[in-house]
Amino acid sequence: MTEPIEVRNPRTGKFDYVIIPPPPRLVVQQCKRTRRAQVRWQQLGLEGRIEALQQWKEAILSGRDRLTEALVNDTGRLSTSVLEIDSFLSSIDRWCRLAPELLQESTKNTAIPFIALQQTSVPYPLVGVISPWNFPLLLSTIDTIPALLAGCAVIVKPSEITPRFVAPLITALNTVPKLHDVLTFVEGAGATGSVLIENVDLVCFTGSVATGRKVAQAAAKQFIPAFLELGGKDPAIVLESANLELATSAILWGSVVNTGQSCLSIERIYVADSIFEKFYHQLVAKAHRLELAYPTVESGEIGPIIAEKQAAIISDHLLDAVEKGAVIHCGGVIEDLGGGWWCRPTVLTQVNHSMKVMTEETFGPIMPVMPFGTVEEAVSLANDSIYGLSAAVFASEAEALEIAQQIDAGAISINDAALTAIMHEGEKNAFKFSGMGGSRMGAAALKRFMRKKAILIKTNATNDPWWFDNGE
């Protein structure tokens, strides 16, 4: 029998929830059952799948309060949880609206007059989704919804750090039998994820680079595709032509939203020498206005650190920076309040790339600000990273667009920050160690769950094959 996993409440520090991972043989059995059900799900047709997903959405709306409560208990924050639920529900509508056009099949003539091409696709039967703790609901479903519409069955393993949100989803799922058979959640830690990878046809993973490497290796052994969204150390570049009021507000939001616990967070800020002092003074003033969401979830904007191990990482990065000469202008301390770990928005200067806070993923509301002399230097600093998820540039539009072309990252926000968190239309790939595989944004996010088939049709079946010579 597998050992129970106790789950910590990030606001109180108490272990007040327990999950019991299924033994490997039950995970294997669940994969087999879900795979068998996929045949009926695919045969249901796109209209039937859309109807089932809409029924699930309505059932979730009916129990929205329970889902909100569970997500708040998982993460310790309210406003971001509300936004997360809204984004999840709107993604169902968005994909249901887009799928009919994206999944259309076509027949066309080819360069050879008597051969037509029918382009069609078939779904991967069973998709495994392994999701992280920072946005538990959204990142468990961002791949799941398009995969289901494509005709796949899906098994989701959420993070063992934030599993409470699953129960309300399953309650709603039980009211939609057609969907219940092809969408399953399994609880557990890394061992459960390993068994899952061995029994699916495609895996989607969101998480750290270290674990992502293991997922990629396991998928390679199974000879299945792996779509990986991994870490980030997103830079922001601020030129002299930038609107400083806009830049400081946007960078602050991009750095501290969800307490900086996002792979899309701004974690490095490079500012032109001529405006450096003015910039960081404005940033510090605005950071001081933000309050902790303590003692209640409504008390402020900054929630607790969700994963206890992350508090130690943030503290280590700050200590390393200070020991190497960095200056902290606000925040800078991990606080124990009511049993939870908290960190106020933290602005640092006198930083450089010898410091962990400039090179390793910090995953907290930490804003190291570094001056640069030339645009070439700014681009070089931004690209001096093993990561390449996204970035931001603040400048006149023409300047910003020119710089954006030179940054090694999959998505560049111009005169704003972390725009891919709210705009999902643009296709992007992760650069370097920030991931691999097809885009989870844009049309590719759905099409990557389909295997393309080319059916070649000879339109004049009365003639001999073109290669046949009867000697006449």
Side-chain angles (χ1 to χ4, degrees):
M1 181 176 177
T2 55
E3 291 293 322
I5 298 174
E6 293 186 319
V7 183
R8 177 180 171 273
N9 186 309
R11 295 190 66 86
T12 66
K14 295 179 180 178
F15 290 86
D16 57 8
Y17 193 85
V18 175
I19 61 174
I20 301 177
R25 61 180 179 81
L26 290 185
V27 177
V28 173
Q29 290 174 8
Q30 186 61 61
C31 288
K32 290 179 178 178
R33 284 196 298 269
T34 309
R35 186 190 299 279
R36 287 195 297 268
Q38 183 271 336
V39 176
R40 296 190 300 274
W41 178 247
Q42 184 179 352
Q43 292 172 347
L44 191 60
L46 181 56
E47 288 187 9
R49 297 196 291 272
I50 289 173
E51 181 182 359
L53 280 166
Q54 287 295 328
Q55 289 173 355
W56 188 38
K57 188 194 82 171
E58 293 303 316
I60 290 168
L61 282 169
S62 297
R64 177 172 179 142
D65 289 347
R66 292 190 295 276
L67 179 57
T68 302
E69 180 183 3
L71 203 54
V72 169
N73 286 333
D74 271 333
T75 62
R77 34 75 164 170
L78 177 59
S79 59
T80 305
S81 295
V82 171
L83 179 62
E84 193 174 350
I85 293 171
D86 287 341
S87 298
F88 159 56
L89 294 173
S90 67
S91 74
I92 295 177
D93 287 337
R94 185 180 76 254
W95 282 119
C96 286
R97 183 179 70 254
L98 295 174
E101 179 181 352
L102 295 177
L103 295 178
Q104 278 185 347
E105 297 183 353
S106 63
T107 301
K108 61 181 181 180
N109 294 326
T110 68
I112 301 175
F114 54 85
I115 297 179
L117 168 64
Q118 184 181 93
Q119 193 73 66
T120 185
S121 302
V122 293
Y124 287 91
L126 184 59
V127 171
V129 173
I130 302 174
S131 60
W133 49 262
N134 55 327
F135 289 96
L137 172 64
L138 189 60
L139 294 178
S140 289
T141 56
I142 192 171
D143 299 308
T144 297
I145 302 304
L148 287 168
L149 284 167
C152 311
V154 181
I155 296 184
V156 181
K157 192 210 80 67
S159 170
E160 68 277 15
I161 295 173
T162 52
R164 299 170 183 85
F165 77 99
V166 172
L169 290 184
I170 292 176
T171 298
L173 198 57
N174 288 338
T175 68
V176 191
K178 291 178 181 177
L179 185 57
H180 176 266
D181 291 340
V182 291
L183 175 56
T184 302
F185 293 82
V186 293
E187 297 179 323
T192 302
S194 296
V195 177
L196 185 63
I197 294 170
E198 293 172 358
N199 290 276
V200 297
D201 305 300
L202 179 154
V203 62
C204 297
F205 171 82
T206 307
S208 69
V209 172
T211 305
R213 283 176 178 270
K214 296 176 182 178
V215 171
Q217 291 167 356
K221 288 181 180 179
Q222 299 300 124
F223 216 66
I224 63 173
F227 298 134
L228 311 178
E229 179 102 350
L230 308 179
K233 192 70 179 176
D234 290 5
I237 295 176
V238 186
L239 268 63
E240 190 174 8
S241 59
N243 179 328
L244 281 193
E245 189 65 30
L246 168 67
T248 49
S249 294
I251 288 173
L252 178 63
W253 179 85
S255 300
V256 307
V257 65
N258 197 32
T259 317
Q261 298 166 119
S262 170
C263 54
L264 299 174
S265 292
I266 297 296
E267 293 205 12
R268 300 177 286 147
I269 306 164
Y270 303 103
V271 183
D273 276 327
S274 59
I275 58 171
F276 178 76
E277 294 275 340
K278 187 175 181 180
F279 175 90
Y280 88 75
H281 282 300
Q282 281 193 26
L283 186 64
V284 170
K286 290 181 179 181
H288 272 302
R289 299 175 197 165
L290 300 178
E291 299 290 340
L292 299 180
Y294 182 85
T296 71
V297 288
E298 295 91 358
S299 296
E301 303 85 2
I302 307 299
I305 299 167
I306 298 171
E308 189 168 23
K309 289 181 180 179
Q310 202 62 41
I313 293 172
I314 296 169
S315 183
D316 175 61
H317 284 196
L318 291 173
L319 179 62
D320 173 75
V322 170
E323 287 179 345
K324 293 175 180 176
V327 176
I328 294 177
H329 298 273
C330 59
V333 178
I334 303 297
E335 302 178 53
D336 180 351
L337 300 174
W341 296 110
W342 303 77
C343 183
R344 299 176 191 273
T346 299
V347 178
L348 304 91
T349 59
Q350 302 296 315
V351 294
N352 59 62
H353 280 218
S354 72
M355 301 173 184
K356 295 177 182 178
V357 77
M358 295 298 284
T359 56
E360 299 180 14
E361 190 172 35
T362 307
F363 232 56
I366 312 301
M367 293 163 278
V369 189
M370 182 176 177
F372 65 83
T374 65
V375 170
E376 292 75 18
E377 182 186 0
V379 172
S380 177
L381 288 167
N383 288 338
D384 182 22
S385 175
I386 66 169
Y387 299 104
L389 195 60
S390 51
V393 181
F394 294 83
S396 67
E397 187 171 323
E399 284 182 299
L401 287 171
E402 185 177 348
I403 291 171
Q405 295 294 336
Q406 302 174 57
I407 295 177
D408 297 332
I412 317 296
S413 297
I414 302 297
N415 290 320
D416 211 329
L419 287 178
T420 53
I422 58 173
M423 203 290 290
H424 296 165
E425 296 172 28
E427 294 186 7
K428 66 182 183 69
N429 294 117
F431 285 37
K432 304 178 184 176
F433 283 93
S434 283
M436 69 180 208
S439 173
R440 62 162 36 151
M441 307 291 181
L446 190 152
K447 292 182 178 180
R448 64 197 168 129
F449 296 108
M450 309 290 287
R451 293 167 293 179
K452 292 181 179 179
K453 295 180 72 173
I455 299 177
L456 307 172
I457 307 162
K458 183 177 182 182
T459 56
N460 186 348
T462 61
N463 291 344
D464 288 331
W466 64 270
W467 45 264
F468 182 76
D469 183 0
N470 59 14
E472 295 181 4

